[in-house]
Amino acid sequence: MGLRRRRDPHPGHQKDFSVSTYDITSRSIYVQWTKVAGAASYKITASPFMSADQLAFAIFNPSTVIGTLNTLLPNTNYTVTVEAMDSDGLTLAEAQIIQLTAPDVPNIDQAYSKLSNSITVEWAEVLGAAQYQVIAQAGQISFESIVTSSPGTVTGLQDATSYKMTVRSINTAGMSQPSPPKWAKTVLAAASITVESLNSESLSVSWQPVPSAVLYSVSVMRSDGSGSRWNQNTTALSLNFTSLDPGTVYTIKVNAWDANGTPGDDSTYNQITRPVAPSGVNIAFNSGALEAAFSVSAADSTTNYTVLLYGGESTINCTMSASTCTISSLQCGIEYTVSLVATNEAGSTLSPNNWSLKSVPCAPSGITVEEGNPGNLTVSWSSGKLSEYYVVFVKSDDGFEVHCNTSLSPCYFPAECGFIYFMSVFAYNKAGQSPLGELLNYTTAPCCPSDFNPAYVSSDTLEIVWSAVRGAEMYETKADDGANTILCNDTATVCALSGLQCNTQYNVTVYSYSENRGSNTSCASKYMKTAPCSPEIRNITMMDISSFMVSWQSSNHDAVYTVTARGEHGLWDCTSSGTSCILENLPCGSMYMVHVVASTYEGTSLPSYSMPLEIAPCCPANLSVVQVTQSVTNVSWSSATGALTYTTMLESPRGQAKCHTLEEHCMLGCITCGTSYSVSLEAVSETGLMSQCTYHGYSSSACCPSGVKLYRLSNSGIRVTWRASAGPDNYTVNIYGSKGNLTCSPNTSVSYCDVTEIPCGDVYTVVVSPVSIGDTQISFCPKKIYSVTCSGSSLGIVIYRGKRSIT
């Protein structure tokens, strides 16, 4: 609905003027507005929505901002107008709202209490009410409850207390005024009861006094509804009910009554009677686990049964229902007394009977193991409670097991070396075997190696090997020569005893050792001898050019010695049981290292220190002497093994020629022709060893003739003449020309030779040479050149042109 417009001298005020609802009741509307400047009064008008009937208005002074309109209709929509007016009655500002009034006030029909903490109110329904507020008030304390319809209950109240009850109706606009009140009183509170079952056939009911109560009523009946019901009124605070069924749930109800005969709240309690006493128990004993399983004959599923075991200073229990229960961790060597208790919520009932449970004996204590004699074990122990007999188990670490069954201690067992024996002792009775007690182990001494032998023998070392033996973790090898002891410790089955004396006998023992038992000192020994000592070469003496005696010094007994010469040409050796030996047929010109080794049955010594042995150089296999000139000879020879330099000599009664060279040839001068010489050569090594080499003699060539001349005999012939030298009688004349070569051999003892067929008019070279033994012509005689002309006399001296060299 829009605003009603009037003349406004101050139109700006209209925008700032606002109206709102402050409170609503069934017949009143409270309005709040903002002040308008210049306003002398405010007028509020309320008319039913869309109707002008039953109009209500009120005027308020300018200082008021909240006003109310009364005598309105409940649950009705009103148009509410607020006008700000000046002193002339003109409207300065105006605002409107539409507001619904609250429902009408309800009227309570009745109020009553059925429970000690609540009161219920009934009323007639009010048009337009969506909810109702029910209020209970006692003094300054009030309680309320919101409901949608009648009746309504207020809770949380005090028992036996009077309350003023009112009801207000509610719609979306607000709440009506309270209804006319009615008074109501809450009933007595429930009694606080306690129920006990003193035995399986009775219940004892007691309760705390309830204020204002003058009488109490008690009823008891089975909860399942069967059987009888007991009802009893009393002014006392307890009652007993007997001849009930055992182990049965009963419902107990107690009410307190006030002086007006109104019962208070019910106190209801469900209580079971105690169970019937159990008559029998079944016991199954597990000796291996030291536990017992218990079950009750004719057990009731609603009842728990507790088994109590009394033994020694302790009590053990377990609880079950219709199944079984198990008590574990029982102690050995105890005879238990068993009792049985049946329990439900009401309490317990003890069985009048007791039972006995005998446990297995405890494991024997004080177990000892002794090896009185090697190979025999004695196991002893102390007897225990409830033991009837004993079984001793002995198991070796190879898995083999033996046992001994006896009623008395001890037991005897055979034992072998190198084994670990595990021993356990069990006690037995009719209940079974005792728990596993102390587990002993005993280690016998390790076995002794018996097959030890030397694998390697030298002058200062014995390497001993053997097969592994049972039980040995380590071995100790000892060598004793009576004065000194050598030890070797190792986990392997081989040991090298070093630092020993050569050619010495030792007493050798291999001991086995284990960590648990230590060393087995009963192991047998063997005698072993080291290899011979190394000889020491004292001297090497030359017997001849290829034989040498080697001498040495040694302290060995019954040794055979081998001398070895090792060089670039191979090995040479000789053997002797003494202190010397001859190396024969050593090649010339070679170098050797010589050592001596001693050998016995035990082995071979280290070689002696080597000594060098040098053989004189070889003589050259071939030597040749060639005369180059009448006084010069060339000597050459083949290479000689071991030789570095050579000295060559030609000797005759007339003197000697000598040459010292690194080469394999040499030129010797000052040779006399026609002379016999002896030929020798010295081959010298790098270190100065010398070999004298002698060869066949050498004769120098005959001397060349002198005074060679040519004479013409005719135009076709010439004569060559000479003066013969001492020595040979035969000569040969050789003539060389461009037209041919000619040779002339004169008779013995003649010093000329004629050539008849030689052309004239040519130049000829003429050589006259003596002929040596074997008709060997000397080639080094001088050559002369002549010119043979064809003019002039046919006789005369041929013109001499000169000489030529011999080359």
Side-chain angles (χ1 to χ4, degrees):
M1 182 175 182
L3 296 175
R4 186 176 54 182
R5 300 185 178 273
R6 298 183 182 183
R7 184 175 59 86
D8 184 2
H10 305 287
H13 294 164
Q14 188 78 21
K15 297 179 181 179
D16 299 330
F17 188 55
S18 63
V19 177
S20 61
T21 301
Y22 181 76
D23 191 17
I24 302 295
T25 66
S26 301
R27 296 184 180 275
S28 302
I29 295 177
Y30 292 83
V31 181
Q32 184 177 8
W33 58 85
T34 58
K35 286 187 176 184
V36 175
S41 61
Y42 294 94
K43 180 180 180 181
I44 304 175
T45 305
S47 62
F49 185 64
M50 302 297 293
S51 174
D53 297 337
Q54 298 182 354
L55 180 68
F57 69 91
I59 298 175
F60 298 92
N61 60 48
S63 62
T64 304
V65 294
I66 296 177
T68 180
L69 290 176
N70 296 317
T71 68
L72 303 181
L73 298 175
N75 194 42
T76 302
N77 277 316
Y78 281 90
T79 302
V80 180
T81 304
V82 179
E83 296 174 276
M85 296 182 295
D86 59 13
S87 58
D88 296 329
L90 296 177
T91 300
L92 300 176
E94 181 182 274
Q96 286 184 346
I97 58 172
I98 296 176
Q99 179 60 53
L100 177 68
T101 56
D104 202 358
V105 177
N107 187 33
I108 297 175
D109 295 330
Q110 62 176 339
Y112 52 86
S113 172
K114 290 186 177 180
L115 297 174
S116 62
N117 68 340
S118 66
I119 294 177
T120 301
V121 180
E122 296 180 2
W123 63 91
E125 297 289 334
V126 176
L127 181 65
Q131 293 176 319
Y132 299 90
Q133 181 186 46
V134 184
I135 303 169
Q137 185 173 3
Q140 299 299 318
I141 301 175
S142 63
F143 301 88
E144 66 178 46
S145 176
I146 302 296
V147 297
T148 58
S149 62
S150 176
T153 301
V154 180
T155 60
L157 308 181
Q158 294 292 323
D159 63 287
T161 302
S162 294
Y163 288 90
K164 181 177 73 172
M165 307 300 297
T166 56
V167 179
R168 303 177 74 176
S169 59
I170 304 172
N171 65 5
T172 57
M175 209 179 272
S176 72
Q177 290 87 355
S179 67
K182 278 191 179 294
W183 288 87
K185 187 177 183 180
T186 53
V187 300
L188 297 178
S192 176
I193 66 175
T194 301
V195 183
E196 290 184 280
S197 177
L198 301 178
N199 54 51
S200 59
E201 297 180 347
S202 68
L203 290 175
S204 175
V205 184
S206 61
W207 57 90
Q208 297 294 323
V210 178
S212 303
V214 297
L215 183 69
Y216 299 94
S217 62
V218 182
S219 68
V220 175
M221 68 175 296
R222 286 176 62 115
S223 296
D224 57 7
S226 63
S228 302
R229 176 171 180 166
W230 292 267
N231 296 311
Q232 192 168 346
N233 295 330
T234 182
T235 58
L237 297 177
S238 65
L239 283 175
N240 289 328
F241 296 87
T242 60
S243 301
L244 304 180
D245 297 328
T248 302
V249 179
Y250 286 87
T251 300
I252 300 95
K253 183 179 290 187
V254 179
N255 290 99
W257 297 71
D258 61 14
N260 297 323
T262 303
D265 290 344
D266 289 340
S267 292
T268 303
Y269 197 94
N270 288 326
Q271 177 64 49
I272 190 171
T273 53
R274 293 196 181 197
V276 67
S279 59
V281 63
N282 301 314
I283 304 173
F285 181 68
N286 183 348
S287 61
L290 272 180
E291 63 183 22
F294 301 89
S295 62
V296 177
S297 303
D300 183 1
S301 61
T302 63
T303 303
N304 289 330
Y305 299 92
T306 300
V307 178
L308 300 172
L309 267 63
Y310 303 94
E313 298 178 355
S314 62
T315 301
I316 312 173
N317 65 75
C318 73
T319 301
M320 71 193 120
S321 57
S323 58
T324 62
C325 74
T326 301
I327 296 180
S328 58
S329 302
L330 297 179
Q331 296 182 14
C332 59
I334 294 179
E335 186 170 359
Y336 290 93
T337 298
V338 182
S339 63
L340 186 61
V341 178
T343 305
N344 59 16
E345 295 177 1
S348 302
T349 304
L350 179 64
S351 172
N353 301 322
N354 288 328
W355 297 267
S356 176
L357 173 60
K358 182 183 286 188
S359 181
V360 296
C362 291
S365 60
I367 303 174
T368 60
V369 183
E370 294 181 355
E371 189 176 8
N373 297 318
N376 293 287
L377 298 180
T378 301
V379 182
S380 305
W381 61 92
S382 299
S383 299
K385 294 180 180 180
L386 304 183
S387 299
E388 297 177 4
Y389 65 96
Y390 303 90
V391 177
V392 183
F393 294 91
V394 177
K395 186 175 183 179
S396 58
D397 55 2
D398 64 351
F400 183 73
E401 184 177 68
V402 295
H403 68 275
C404 165
N405 193 328
T406 180
S407 60
L408 298 174
S409 173
C411 274
Y412 304 95
F413 298 92
E416 298 182 37
C417 63
F419 276 110
I420 300 176
Y421 290 93
F422 301 92
M423 285 143 287
S424 57
V425 182
F426 292 91
Y428 292 83
N429 61 14
K430 292 180 181 179
Q433 174 186 288
S434 69
L436 176 64
E438 184 180 6
L439 182 63
L440 297 185
N441 66 75
Y442 183 85
T443 304
T444 55
C447 299
C448 289
S450 59
D451 61 345
F452 64 93
N453 287 295
Y456 170 77
V457 179
S458 70
S459 300
D460 62 352
T461 302
L462 289 174
E463 184 178 327
I464 313 299
V465 296
W466 59 90
S467 300
V469 295
R470 189 174 55 243
E473 299 172 359
M474 191 171 67
Y475 301 93
E476 180 179 77
T477 307
K478 181 175 74 172
D480 188 353
D481 64 356
N484 299 297
T485 300
I486 305 296
L487 297 176
C488 171
N489 294 310
D490 206 327
T491 57
T493 58
V494 58
C495 197
L497 296 166
S498 57
L500 306 180
Q501 296 295 323
C502 57
N503 194 46
T504 302
Q505 182 169 269
Y506 286 88
N507 189 12
V508 179
T509 310
V510 180
Y511 298 99
S512 55
Y513 175 86
S514 70
E515 186 174 350
N516 290 335
R517 285 301 306 274
S519 180
N520 188 341
T521 58
S522 62
C523 298
S525 60
K526 293 183 180 181
Y527 283 99
M528 298 180 187
K529 190 177 181 181
T530 53
C533 302
S534 298
E536 181 182 355
I537 298 177
R538 290 301 188 188
N539 194 18
I540 300 178
T541 306
M542 181 176 179
M543 306 300 292
D544 57 41
I545 193 171
S546 63
S547 299
F548 296 84
M549 176 182 288
V550 182
S551 302
W552 58 87
Q553 176 181 322
S554 178
S555 59
N556 297 312
H557 300 287
D558 301 325
V560 175
Y561 299 89
T562 300
V563 179
T564 301
R566 182 188 302 274
E568 59 183 354
H569 296 294
L571 298 175
W572 273 259
D573 57 39
C574 63
T575 302
S576 172
S577 58
T579 58
S580 64
C581 184
I582 296 177
L583 293 171
E584 298 179 316
N585 300 319
L586 297 178
C588 58
S590 56
M591 176 73 74
Y592 296 92
M593 296 302 292
V594 181
H595 67 264
V596 184
V597 174
S599 300
T600 62
Y601 173 79
E602 286 75 19
T604 303
S605 72
L606 294 173
S608 66
Y609 294 116
S610 296
M611 291 185 66
L613 173 59
E614 183 181 7
I615 312 301
C618 298
C619 289
N622 299 307
L623 184 141
S624 65
V625 183
V626 177
Q627 190 160 353
V628 178
T629 66
Q630 198 165 255
S631 62
V632 177
T633 299
N634 182 27
V635 182
S636 61
W637 54 91
S638 60
S639 176
T641 302
L644 178 64
T645 62
Y646 303 92
T647 300
T648 306
M649 290 181 291
L650 297 180
E651 291 185 279
S652 72
R654 296 183 179 182
Q656 72 174 9
K658 187 175 183 178
C659 173
H660 192 183
T661 181
L662 289 169
E663 306 296 333
E664 294 173 3
H665 58 85
C666 193
M667 298 292 287
L668 295 176
C670 302
I671 300 300
T672 303
C673 57
T675 303
S676 293
Y677 289 90
S678 62
V679 181
S680 65
L681 182 143
E682 291 179 351
V684 184
S685 71
E686 187 175 359
T687 61
L689 286 179
M690 181 187 301
S691 292
Q692 292 286 343
C693 306
T694 303
Y695 297 91
H696 293 294
Y698 164 74
S699 295
S700 59
S701 300
C703 296
C704 293
S706 60
V708 177
K709 294 180 180 179
L710 264 68
Y711 295 92
R712 288 185 60 186
L713 298 178
S714 63
N715 287 335
S716 60
I718 62 172
R719 172 175 286 180
V720 180
T721 64
W722 60 85
R723 286 192 297 273
S725 61
D729 295 332
N730 297 327
Y731 294 90
T732 297
V733 177
N734 291 303
I735 301 173
Y736 307 100
S738 61
K739 297 179 179 181
N741 299 327
L742 299 174
T743 300
C744 176
S745 298
N747 294 329
T748 304
S749 302
V750 176
S751 57
Y752 66 93
C753 186
D754 293 334
V755 179
T756 58
E757 299 295 334
I758 182 171
C760 61
D762 198 0
V763 175
Y764 292 95
T765 299
V766 179
V767 179
V768 180
S769 303
V771 179
S772 63
I773 298 173
D775 296 329
T776 300
Q777 183 178 330
I778 302 302
S779 60
F780 52 77
C781 289
K783 298 175 181 180
K784 291 187 176 183
I785 301 173
Y786 294 91
S787 176
V788 179
T789 61
C790 294
S791 61
S793 173
S794 59
L795 297 176
I797 297 175
V798 178
I799 299 173
Y800 175 63
R801 298 285 299 269
K803 295 182 179 180
R804 297 185 64 182
S805 66
I806 63 174
T807 59

